[in-house]
């Protein structure tokens, strides 16, 4: 008698577990009236999407080869323009950096606007994968550091006044 009671309970338990599995193949329109789903996710096997575009658009160069330095400079130019406009594209940044930068736009935007028009961007080295640039505007000379992740997202960004130029001449023996 104990065995006969356990079998219907086992069938009920298996049926309860099979419900969620069967619901995955049910079209979202049929799930909506019951209100059982908080959200639906696309089925990437049925409707594959194109891979996401890189966060920073590569500059056009003859031969199609773009160096890391060219990518960093293109990203830096885009960031400076966005900061001057007061509206950054968070998709260009890692999520944390994009949020932090966006939350401080009321400080950064007027500051960068006060620098005036962009005059020159000169590379000044790379340290631990972070590119350094001397950026000259009409009203300010600044130093910018920018680091890109493997996928092209901006993971590090810093700007500050340019370091003072040395007034000492370097000796030819040095």
């Amino acid at each position: 008698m104990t065995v006969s009671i356990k079998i219907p309970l086992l069938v009920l338990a298996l049926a309860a577990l099979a419900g969620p599995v069967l619901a995955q193949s049910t079209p979202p329109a049929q799930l909506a009236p019951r209100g059982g789903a908080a959200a639906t996710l696309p089925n990437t096997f049925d409707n594959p999407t194109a891979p996401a575009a890189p966060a920073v658009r590569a500059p056009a160069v003859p031969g199609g080869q773009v160096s890391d330095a060219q990518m960093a400079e293109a990203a830096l130019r885009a960031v400076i323009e966005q900061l001057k406009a007061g509206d950054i594209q968070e998709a260009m940044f890692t999520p944390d950096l994009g949020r932090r930068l966006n939350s401080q736009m009321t400080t950064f935007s007027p500051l960068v606007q006060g620098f005036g028009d962009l005059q020159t961007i000169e590379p000044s080295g790379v340290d631990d994968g972070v590119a350094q640039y001397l950026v000259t505007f009409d009203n300010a000379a600044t130093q910018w550091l920018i680091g890109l992740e493997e996928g092209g997202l901006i993971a590090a960004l810093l700007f500050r006044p340019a370091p003072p130029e040395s007034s000492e001449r370097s000796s030819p023996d040095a």
Side-chain angles (χ1 to χ4, degrees):
M1 189 115 170
T2 318
V3 174
S4 62
I5 294 176
K6 288 183 181 178
I7 292 177
L9 291 176
L10 180 62
V11 171
L12 287 174
L14 289 175
L17 291 174
V21 174
L22 295 174
Q24 290 178 4
S25 61
T26 307
Q30 293 177 0
L31 289 177
R34 291 192 287 184
T40 59
L41 297 174
N43 183 343
T44 57
F45 296 106
D46 292 340
N47 300 318
T49 58
V56 177
R57 189 166 287 160
V61 290
Q65 296 290 15
V66 178
S67 69
D68 291 342
Q70 289 169 318
M71 282 293 290
E73 184 175 334
L76 180 58
R77 286 182 183 277
V79 166
I80 290 170
E81 289 305 313
Q82 290 174 21
L83 288 172
K84 287 181 92 172
D87 184 29
I88 64 159
Q89 296 175 9
E90 283 191 40
M92 287 180 57
F93 301 87
T94 57
D96 184 51
L97 181 59
R99 281 190 300 274
R100 287 188 293 150
L101 187 59
N102 198 20
S103 72
Q104 297 181 17
M105 284 302 291
T106 57
T107 302
F108 293 146
S109 185
L111 185 63
V112 176
Q113 288 170 359
F115 292 163
D117 289 335
L118 177 64
Q119 297 297 315
T120 61
I121 296 180
E122 300 173 31
S124 59
V126 177
D127 188 20
D128 286 334
V130 176
Q132 300 175 18
Y133 294 91
L134 178 62
V135 181
T136 306
F137 296 89
D138 284 338
N139 304 323
T142 57
Q143 182 184 43
W144 292 69
L145 288 80
I146 186 167
L148 303 179
E149 279 190 340
E150 194 70 28
L153 292 178
I154 300 169
L157 180 68
L158 171 74
F159 66 94
R160 57 188 172 206
E165 292 184 32
S166 174
S167 59
E168 295 180 19
R169 292 182 152 230
S170 60
S171 67
D173 297 334

